Amino acid sequence: MATPSFEFDIRARTLTLAGEDATTRTLALPPGMFDFETSLERVAVRLDPLELTVGLPSGRHAVVELSDPRRSLEELRARRPCVYLDQNHWSTGVAPVSRPVVGFSR
């Protein structure tokens, strides 16, 4: 059985939906939707495992594991180190970045 997912391709301005039966459907985004400057290429969500993937113009991508109540914390970590980001220090961490990864303008 395929994993349900959806993907926004911001540059191509499409939304692709994938169902459990392995069917996919790609739709053009309506005019004006996501009509802003951003340095993201795409955003994809897979529902099993629960993860969010962010694609960047450099070709690199970041995978974020979403909370899954069916799995223990030890299983989710898989012996990887844990990093906790304090909201009060995000600006400190991104200060050296000359261009923000996510930026919006109208």
Side-chain angles (χ1 to χ4, degrees), residues 11-105:
R11 298 291 180 222
R13 305 190 46 72
T14 59
L15 167 64
T16 301
L17 304 170
E20 289 180 344
D21 59 358
T23 59
T24 61
R25 181 155 185 205
T26 300
L27 309 165
L29 296 176
M33 187 175 196
F34 296 113
D35 192 17
F36 49 78
E37 290 297 318
T38 180
S39 56
L40 297 178
E41 291 282 326
R42 69 181 184 91
V43 176
V45 175
R46 285 181 25 159
L47 300 180
D48 190 25
L50 292 171
E51 67 182 29
L52 170 86
T53 303
V54 178
L56 306 173
S58 65
R60 292 183 171 186
H61 63 275
V63 177
V64 178
E65 292 176 331
L66 305 175
S67 176
D68 186 346
R70 300 169 295 177
R71 297 169 63 196
S72 70
L73 179 59
E74 290 76 24
E75 184 182 1
L76 290 170
R77 282 188 54 214
R79 296 193 173 100
R80 294 173 293 192
C82 250
V83 176
Y84 296 96
L85 299 175
D86 184 333
Q87 286 183 330
N88 295 325
H89 297 289
W90 279 65
S91 59
T92 305
V94 298
V97 177
S98 60
R99 191 176 109 187
V101 171
V102 180
F104 303 96
S105 64

